Amino acid sequence: MLKERIAGLLDQRLSGHSLPRDFYVDEQIFQADVEAVFETDWLFACSTVEIPRPGDYLTLRVGHNPIVVLRNRDGEVAAFHNTCRHRGSQLCLKEKGRANRLVCPYHQWVYELDGSLINARQMPEGFDIGAYSLAPVHVQVVCGMVYICLADRPPSLDHFRAGVTPYIAPHMPDRTKVAFTSTIIEEANWKLVIENNRECYHCAGNHPELLVSMVEFALPDDPQAKSQFQGLMDRSVSRWNALGLPHKPADGGIEFRCIRLPFNENTVSFTMDGKPACNKLLGNFTEQDLGSVRMFRVPHNWNHFLSDHIIHFRVLPISANRTELRTTWLVHEDAVDGLDYDVGHLTAVWLATNSEDGMLAENNHRGILSRAYRPGPYAPSEFMLTHFTDWYAGKMGDYVGGPRRAVAAE
């Protein structure tokens, strides 16, 4: 019955419009979201520099699935279902930590960092510990970003990797360290959190801190852009070309977006005054004003790569009306807090912006609960929302049994 209801809603959907109400507010459809989207695709988990040493781990929850991502004894990144093979208790209870081995807090079964069970006390003679390793989770690392996939047969990441690597690699993410992490809970559906991020139509009225440095326009040749933006774009392109830095939109279709765009005139970073957030630049950069590489990948992750720092954003659904947003700021591995950067200066813009966006998404969710809600049309500047909702509808179409009529007629 649920799949039939989802199929009916997909048949009603208009591309270029917000989704039918139940896709945002219905708890059963939320559970379908987890199965159809978050248990089938690659998800951003963390940066490799968050788990730099063997034994370092980080946990997250994908729907009802607790996951642990760790660095094993060979220095490789691995991931497992954070569930003991005895009676299912969670193994690692903290968000982050370090362990020589993983020990279940319930009955003290002990696992090696490769997931193998090495001690199961009080089990009878002949018990086969080799049959009770932790369930593995697929892992791939792309430019210092750890992606996990819960599917038995994960989709390919090759096109994404090839598309974004030229943009991100010059920033050398593997030579950074964590400066600050923030996690907030928004009382809104996860798709509303993503949709809010995918447009800047709302920025002028809501994000004064962000617009000190960030240009509102999402395309280098946006027809709505003012003439001064085109001049700024032309000067920036000349500088980027001279430095060998790619900047044109990557060929990501509706799966991912990667582009380098400039900051406003006389600003070089996401700070309240537009001045550098960190004096020690990333990689081999010597030029502070490189704009930012803006990268987004469905279903839930966006990033900014600047000359002086990197910001990762990760969205995880909790329920139909609750969403977790985790933001991580990275600086050069040798940068010294209080000397090269100040955490308050580094994080102020996006802490404010995240708070503002949280209120916007929550208000959006409350409004959609109204019986008067009907899907509304996206503005031309909201083209990335069309990409996202078309992609989402495709995933849900697969979930309900294969291709369906993609969009309803206007």
Side-chain angles (χ1 to χ4, degrees):
M1 292 294 292
L2 175 60
K3 289 189 176 182
E4 291 179 6
R5 184 156 67 92
I6 292 173
L9 291 168
L10 291 174
D11 282 344
Q12 297 171 20
R13 188 183 76 92
L14 295 171
S15 183
H17 289 64
S18 58
L19 295 168
R21 178 179 182 272
D22 284 359
F23 282 123
Y24 297 116
V25 303
D26 186 273
E27 194 62 40
Q28 286 187 312
I29 291 181
F30 168 78
Q31 295 301 330
D33 279 3
V34 173
E35 294 178 26
V37 175
F38 286 87
E39 293 184 0
T40 66
D41 217 313
W42 288 99
L43 307 175
F44 173 73
C46 62
S47 168
T48 56
V49 301
E50 295 187 70
I51 47 172
R53 303 167 298 173
D56 287 341
Y57 69 83
L58 178 144
T59 63
L60 64 154
R61 180 174 289 271
V62 181
H64 294 303
N65 304 286
I67 307 297
V68 58
V69 181
L70 57 78
R71 183 84 65 167
N72 64 26
R73 296 196 190 283
D74 295 328
E76 301 297 321
V77 177
F80 302 95
H81 287 271
N82 187 19
T83 303
C84 183
R85 292 296 309 280
H86 176 215
R87 286 170 51 194
S89 177
Q90 286 189 184
L91 296 169
C92 301
L93 304 183
K94 297 187 295 183
E95 180 186 359
K96 296 182 68 174
R98 178 172 168 79
N100 187 46
R101 293 182 176 87
L102 305 184
V103 180
C104 179
Y106 200 177
H107 300 98
Q108 291 76 56
W109 281 28
V110 182
Y111 299 86
E112 185 51 87
L113 297 180
D114 63 3
S116 60
L117 179 63
I118 58 176
N119 186 28
R121 67 188 185 91
Q122 297 188 15
M123 297 306 286
E125 184 177 351
F127 175 72
D128 182 10
I129 63 174
Y132 291 89
S133 296
L134 296 178
V137 173
H138 298 283
V139 172
Q140 289 202 37
V141 176
V142 179
C143 294
M145 297 177 291
V146 179
Y147 288 87
I148 61 172
C149 184
L150 277 61
D152 293 334
R153 297 181 178 178
S156 174
L157 262 185
D158 291 347
H159 180 58
F160 171 68
R161 183 191 303 276
V164 304
T165 295
Y167 296 79
I168 299 172
H171 297 256
M172 297 188 185
D174 57 340
R175 290 183 52 195
T176 63
K177 67 177 183 181
V178 177
F180 192 76
T181 299
S182 164
T183 300
I184 63 174
I185 304 299
E186 300 184 20
E187 303 294 327
N189 185 269
W190 70 273
K191 293 182 289 295
L192 295 177
V193 177
I194 296 296
E195 288 186 48
N196 176 76
N197 169 259
R198 293 291 78 209
E199 51 90 359
C200 208
Y201 189 15
H202 71 277
C203 289
N206 295 278
H207 295 321
E209 302 90 354
L210 183 62
L211 292 186
V212 167
S213 54
M214 194 179 87
V215 296
E216 295 180 67
F217 308 107
L219 293 171
D221 55 354
D222 192 320
Q224 299 187 58
K226 298 176 181 178
S227 58
Q228 57 261 40
F229 170 72
Q230 193 55 57
L232 173 63
M233 193 71 212
D234 291 343
R235 292 189 296 277
S236 299
V237 165
S238 295
R239 183 166 62 255
W240 299 335
N241 285 340
L243 295 170
L245 297 175
H247 51 83
K248 294 181 180 179
D251 180 19
I254 59 175
E255 174 194 354
F256 67 90
R257 170 177 167 82
C258 193
I259 185 173
R260 187 181 297 273
L261 289 170
F263 286 121
N264 286 327
E265 203 78 64
N266 300 318
T267 64
V268 299
S269 194
F270 285 127
T271 55
M272 291 292 196
D273 56 8
K275 294 179 180 178
C278 183
N279 293 324
K280 195 165 189 62
L281 302 184
L282 301 179
N284 297 318
F285 294 145
T286 58
E287 169 63 57
Q288 291 179 328
D289 185 8
L290 298 180
S292 73
V293 172
R294 305 184 192 180
M295 194 272 278
F296 167 81
R297 187 182 187 279
V298 290
H300 75 138
N301 166 238
W302 67 92
N303 316 262
H304 286 281
F305 299 85
L306 288 68
S307 68
D308 62 348
H309 69 285
I310 294 169
I311 318 175
H312 295 307
F313 303 83
R314 187 193 73 193
V315 167
L316 288 175
I318 299 173
S319 67
N321 62 352
R322 298 191 84 215
T323 302
E324 176 191 282
L325 171 64
R326 183 176 189 264
T327 309
T328 308
W329 287 259
L330 308 178
V331 296
H332 192 284
E333 61 186 354
D334 295 331
V336 178
D337 185 12
L339 179 63
D340 297 304
Y341 68 98
D342 173 80
V343 169
H345 185 58
L346 173 74
T347 61
V349 166
W350 277 105
L351 287 177
T353 301
N354 285 348
S355 177
E356 293 154 359
D357 278 336
M359 290 186 288
L360 293 171
E362 290 174 358
N363 188 49
N364 195 178
H365 189 100
R366 286 191 292 266
I368 288 174
L369 287 169
S370 167
R371 62 182 294 177
Y373 167 78
R374 299 292 185 274
Y378 296 138
S381 62
E382 296 176 297
F383 66 94
M384 288 184 283
L385 277 68
T386 298
H387 293 173
F388 172 67
T389 51
D390 284 352
W391 175 86
Y392 169 77
K395 295 288 283 189
M396 298 306 282
D398 291 342
Y399 176 75
V400 300
R404 298 187 58 83
R405 180 156 51 101
V407 294
E410 298 249 11

